[in-house]
Amino acid sequence: MSVTRSVVLGSGSYLPKRVLTNAELAAQVATSDEWIVQRTGIRQRHIAADGELTMDMGLAAAKAALDHAGIDAQSIDLIVLATSTPDNTFPATAVSIQAALGIHHGAAFDLQAVCSGFVFGLATVDGMLRTGGFKRALVIGAEAFSRILDWNDRTTCVLFGDGAGALVLEAQQQPGTREDRGILTSHLRSDGRHKSKLYVDGGVSSTGTVGHLRMEGREVFKFAVAAITDVIEDAFRATGYTAQDIDWFVPHQANKRIIDGAAHKLGIAPEKVVSTVDLHGNTSAASIPLAISVAVQDGRIKRGDLVLLEAMGGGFTWGAALVRW
Ligand code: UT7
């Protein structure tokens, strides 16, 4: 029996021009290239220029994904932007992107699940495409995390970067087997008991300010590997696939040690792991589509490949998806 699946038509990304190296950071706060590389795997990150907005980065990634898919923006009827760093409190940054693309139909909205935002966005769009209300969607992750960092706090400012990535998805009829193209399964979790371990100390209804990112890094780290492997095992159970069946593992890029730890625990071979954390740092909701874009462009991810995505972040939130390209 045929089923509707959300099939990936194209991917794209954008990185701001300015590259901030570990050596430059070491000149500003008490850190070193050696500490950052050893503890995180990060060597550099990109930083948005003054006046460069989340909307600008998301728009550039969206245009690149539309070009890659070879489709016209007018055929898009749904835009979901995952971000924790919107241009304004409202309206949603997604509507700015929608307007800049010249789209005056369909729906556009922002979704906030911090570093898990892209997986939450994919799952949301998948549901909306499969129920038939929409035909073609852009799922974008775009972040200007440099604007919410405390640049005097070495425990956080070395970890994050700016950027954007996007996927174009289309509702397509597929045979209804696990060999189908498209999103095969997605699993989302959150547990607000951990909300004070990774948060921003400002907000509209509390302080009336934007605030700065605060994190108990070690606590997040401890939770991450167990949570990630748990939700991925749910994805395996739902499809009958195992770690051996995966062609590419594209995790949220927070820390090389978390990525390697999760891959090892799950039995995913190191050569199947797509890692961009060294070049991009942690770009929160943008990290997965940025990494996908790199691996599609360099020819690793190809049509028919089985791709495993996962993320974990503030809330805590976490999730995983299995997608056949
Ligand atoms: O995307 C959302 C999810 N976020 C994450 O996944 C981040 C998860 N956490 C992490 O990646 C790691 O916990 C960190 C990279 C943030 C920290 O690594 P760690 O191995 O957990 O180090 P730590 O926090 O236990 O700190 C070890 C030491 C401390 O010094 P003392 O107390 O041992 O003297 C820190 O003060 O390293 C110190 N330290 C630094 N030293 C140099 C912390 N940050 C720095 C720094 N440079 N930038």
Side-chain angles (χ1 to χ4, degrees), residues 46 90 96 111 121 130 138 149 182 260 301 310 316 318 322:
H46 291 250
F90 78 78
S96 298
L111 180 151
R130 281 193 291 115
L138 268 167
L149 296 177
D260 292 348
I301 297 179
E310 65 76 8
F316 292 147
W318 65 106
L322 265 174

Side-chain angles (χ1 to χ4, degrees), residues 18 23 48 59 106 134 199 201-202 219 221 237 239 255 284-285 318:
R18 165 91 168 100
L59 176 63
F134 298 90
Y199 69 105
D201 63 5
E219 292 301 310
F221 193 103
R237 260 192 298 277
T239 54
N255 186 320
S284 190
W318 65 106

Side-chain angles (χ1 to χ4, degrees), residues 28-30 149-157 214:
Q28 293 167 30
V29 288
L149 296 177
D150 175 350
W151 287 99
N152 295 312
D153 175 9
R154 68 174 184 174
T155 68
T156 52
C157 76
R214 306 292 173 204

Side-chain angles (χ1 to χ4, degrees), residues 30-32 35-36 39-40 115 154-155 158-160 198 215 217-218 220-221 224 252 254-255 257-258 282 284 312-314:
T31 190
S32 64
W35 190 95
I36 301 171
R39 300 289 178 127
T40 72
C115 297
R154 68 174 184 174
T155 68
V158 304
L159 303 174
F160 296 90
L198 174 48
M215 176 165 72
R218 213 175 301 182
V220 180
F221 193 103
H252 168 51
N255 186 320
R257 289 188 293 147
I258 296 176
N282 181 348
S284 190
M312 184 262 163

Side-chain angles (χ1 to χ4, degrees), residues 269-314:
E271 58 273 17
K272 292 182 176 178
V273 180
V274 177
S275 182
T276 52
V277 69
D278 54 336
L279 300 175
H280 302 165
N282 181 348
T283 57
S284 190
S287 91
I288 290 175
L290 268 163
I292 287 172
S293 217
V294 167
V296 167
Q297 271 164 30
D298 68 19
R300 274 179 287 175
I301 297 179
K302 296 177 297 298
R303 189 182 165 124
D305 283 353
L306 188 60
V307 180
L308 172 64
L309 313 175
E310 65 76 8
M312 184 262 163

